[in-house]
């Protein structure tokens, strides 16, 4: 079961396909609960929602509030326990979409993240070949500057993950990141995350003072990673394959459904390894096994991923889909990246991973005050 946002014709057609309906109704708008349980679907119809049936499930249509209220009325009333459980799950998902988990719900081992605003994770690349800023600065100086500009977290990486990047040995990655993390944890008061898919690098980074492991493979690359990261907080990103071949795997018949399912599998790997859920944030992985159209659609319907109940970290900064829209080269994508950040914040993102911290913080100050206003 899941909630699907219907903003346009393409969303409506996809939702009909997900339910297995032969004839798509392109005019559906608002939200749909895709419900496999026939008893719950019939209950939602009796509770007043329009329900369209298909061989793979039913689409119960309405606003989030209507869907939540209908599910609540059934959570006690239905005869079968399985159907009551499905109604409770639908209520939980609708509540999470209505109030996406904020950054402050991401519990770190040593720091408490600020409440009441969208948070900023500043990118510190200790790499010679990152797509937008490889080798362009001294990473320690860069980290200190991003801290001054108002970053809430510093994300240090020693291996580029851009499409077709050359892989780096663990020893070289450690050599790049250890001194940077040691200095930044000594000279700033910020939590530091290590952007790596390798357990040995994560362990060295945690020893050097990092407390978050940002694994772009969502714990799928290195079987030792869960053990290495057990005492840390985790950012689990969605991708498929490796940076060398991920773009050949950017094929989805149900983009949101598949990304959501694969993020749930990453969450389960973390839980099975003993990482408490409060320590985990999720990331849809813009640019990783995604086409430009996939990136735009994930950004537009980001709120849907809030139903997973965990804070969402999103990295749109300077990525190629911003270059496609603006015609700008990577270092000149600040304005486009800030526009994406504002849209992401209003679509439920909790933490934005960005290269341009000062500009993003300033724009988010406006976005957050509008979002939380009331008169
Ligand atoms: N994007 C990049 C790297 N790490 N981690 C998360 N959680 N989310 C992202 O979107 C993400 C990430 C790619 O950006 P960058 O670090 O600037 O480039 P490179 O991988 O070439 O070093």
């Amino acid at each position: 079961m899941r909630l699907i946002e219907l903003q346009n014709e393409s969303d409506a057609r996809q939702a009909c396909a997900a339910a297995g309906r032969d004839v798509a109704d392109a005019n559906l708008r608002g939200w749909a609960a895709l419900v496999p349980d026939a008893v719950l679907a019939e209950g939602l119809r009796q509770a007043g929602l329009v329900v369209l049936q298909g061989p793979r499930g039913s689409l119960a249509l309405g606003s989030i509030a209507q869907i939540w209220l209908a599910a609540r009325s059934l959570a006690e009333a239905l005869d079968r326990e399985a159907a009551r459980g499905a109604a409770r799950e639908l209520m939980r998902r609708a509540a999470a979409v209505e109030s996406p988990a904020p950054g402050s719900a991401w519990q770190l081992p040593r720091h408490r993240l600020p409440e009441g605003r969208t948070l900023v994770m500043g990118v510190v690349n200790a790499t010679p070949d990152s797509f937008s800023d490889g080798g362009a600065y001294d990473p320690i100086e860069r980290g200190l500057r991003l801290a001054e500009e108002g970053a809430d977290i510093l994300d240090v990486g020693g291996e580029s993950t851009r499409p077709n990047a050359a892989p780096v040995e663990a020893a070289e990655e450690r050599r790049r990141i250890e001194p940077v993390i040691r200095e930044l944890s000594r000279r700033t008061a910020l939590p530091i995350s290590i952007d790596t898919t390798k357990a040995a690098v994560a362990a060295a980074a945690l020893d050097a003072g990092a407390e978050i492991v940002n694994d772009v493979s969502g714990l799928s690359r290195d079987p030792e990673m869960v053990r290495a990261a057990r005492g840390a907080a985790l950012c689990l990103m969605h991708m498929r394959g490796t940076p060398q071949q991920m773009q050949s795997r950017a094929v989805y018949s149900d983009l949101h459904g598949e990304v959501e399912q694969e993020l749930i599998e990453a969450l389960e790997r973390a839980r099975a390894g003993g990482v408490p859920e409060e320590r985990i944030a999720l990331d849809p992985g813009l640019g990783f096994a995604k086409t430009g159209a996939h990136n735009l659609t994930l950004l537009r319907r980001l709120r849907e991923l809030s139903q997973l109940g965990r804070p969402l970290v999103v990295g749109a900064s300077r990525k190629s889909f911003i270059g496609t829209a603006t015609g700008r080269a990577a270092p000149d994508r600040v304005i486009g990246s800030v526009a994406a950040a504002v849209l992401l914040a209003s679509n439920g993102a909790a933490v934005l991973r960005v290269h341009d911290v000062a500009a993003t913080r300033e724009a988010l100050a406006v976005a957050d005050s509008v979002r939380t206003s009331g008169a």
Side-chain angles (χ1 to χ4, degrees):
M1 169 197 324
R2 68 191 168 94
L3 288 159
I4 302 173
E5 189 169 11
L6 309 167
Q7 293 181 358
N8 63 24
E9 237 180 69
S10 149
D11 300 342
R13 289 185 194 283
Q14 268 178 23
C16 290
R21 286 170 65 84
D22 295 339
V23 184
D25 185 338
N27 296 320
L28 308 178
R29 296 294 183 272
W31 285 83
L34 176 62
V35 180
D37 186 301
V39 175
L40 175 60
E42 176 55 22
L44 291 168
R45 195 185 62 73
Q46 286 178 17
L49 300 186
V50 170
V51 175
L52 306 177
Q53 284 176 343
R56 283 205 288 276
S58 299
L59 294 172
L61 303 166
S63 66
I64 288 293
Q66 286 168 329
I67 292 170
W68 184 85
L69 284 166
R72 189 182 63 170
S73 73
L74 300 170
E76 307 277 302
L78 291 172
D79 285 342
R80 270 197 312 116
E81 172 47 31
R84 287 198 300 276
R88 287 194 295 275
E89 170 68 6
L90 183 53
M91 280 176 75
R92 192 197 58 70
R93 284 176 176 257
V97 166
E98 197 62 51
S99 305
S104 55
W106 192 12
Q107 290 182 14
L108 310 186
R110 294 191 295 279
H111 286 81
R112 190 184 274 261
L113 288 169
E115 287 178 24
R117 62 179 174 79
T118 310
L119 305 183
V120 169
M121 175 188 259
V123 178
V124 180
N125 282 322
T127 49
D129 59 344
S130 285
F131 78 93
S132 80
D133 57 5
Y137 49 64
D138 171 68
I140 297 173
E141 293 306 317
R142 176 66 165 198
L144 294 174
R145 192 168 127 213
L146 297 187
E148 255 171 49
E149 289 183 8
D152 299 293
I153 299 168
L154 295 175
D155 186 39
V156 178
E159 176 177 38
S160 173
T161 50
R162 70 175 201 289
N164 302 317
V168 176
E169 291 295 321
E172 171 62 13
E173 205 179 324
R174 280 183 61 168
R175 194 191 61 73
R176 292 177 183 177
I177 56 96
E178 271 178 313
V180 178
I181 292 177
R182 205 169 294 115
E183 277 302 287
L184 291 178
S185 60
R186 195 173 66 77
R187 291 167 67 183
T188 75
L190 293 179
I192 294 176
S193 84
I194 171 67
D195 185 346
T196 189
T197 56
K198 300 188 188 80
V201 176
L206 295 172
D207 277 348
E211 63 187 294
I212 301 170
V213 176
N214 173 23
D215 180 353
V216 298
S217 82
L219 299 178
S220 70
R221 190 83 46 80
D222 186 336
E224 296 300 314
M225 185 60 115
V226 190
R227 194 138 49 94
R230 191 172 288 155
L234 277 176
C235 175
L236 301 179
M237 199 192 79
H238 176 270
M239 80 179 289
R240 288 174 174 176
T242 61
Q244 290 70 42
Q245 35 85 308
M246 64 185 174
Q247 289 312 98
S248 67
R249 299 189 55 187
V251 181
Y252 301 83
S253 58
D254 174 4
L255 174 66
H256 276 76
E258 291 168 46
V259 169
E260 184 189 316
Q261 184 49 40
E262 289 162 32
L263 283 173
I264 289 173
E265 287 162 17
L267 257 180
E268 277 161 7
R269 283 191 285 276
R271 271 199 219 112
V275 181
E277 190 156 333
E278 306 75 57
R279 287 269 172 96
I280 299 170
L282 299 174
D283 183 331
L286 300 185
F288 290 84
K290 315 282 181 327
T291 63
H294 293 143
N295 293 325
L296 295 170
T297 305
L298 283 166
L299 192 160
R300 178 170 63 78
R301 281 166 52 196
L302 184 77
R303 189 162 286 264
E304 226 169 291
L305 297 177
S306 304
Q307 67 192 290
L308 295 172
R310 297 308 307 146
L312 296 174
V313 175
V314 190
S317 184
R318 300 192 189 178
K319 285 189 177 163
S320 64
F321 71 97
I322 299 204
T324 305
T326 59
R328 300 276 187 187
D332 303 323
R333 293 178 188 160
V334 183
I335 296 174
S337 300
V338 167
V342 167
L343 290 165
L344 286 163
S346 63
N347 286 344
V351 180
L352 299 174
R353 183 182 180 279
V354 305
H355 300 82
D356 304 289
V357 169
T360 308
R361 275 294 300 265
E362 192 167 327
L364 288 178
V366 178
D368 283 342
S369 49
V370 171
R371 196 168 50 82
T372 56
S373 66

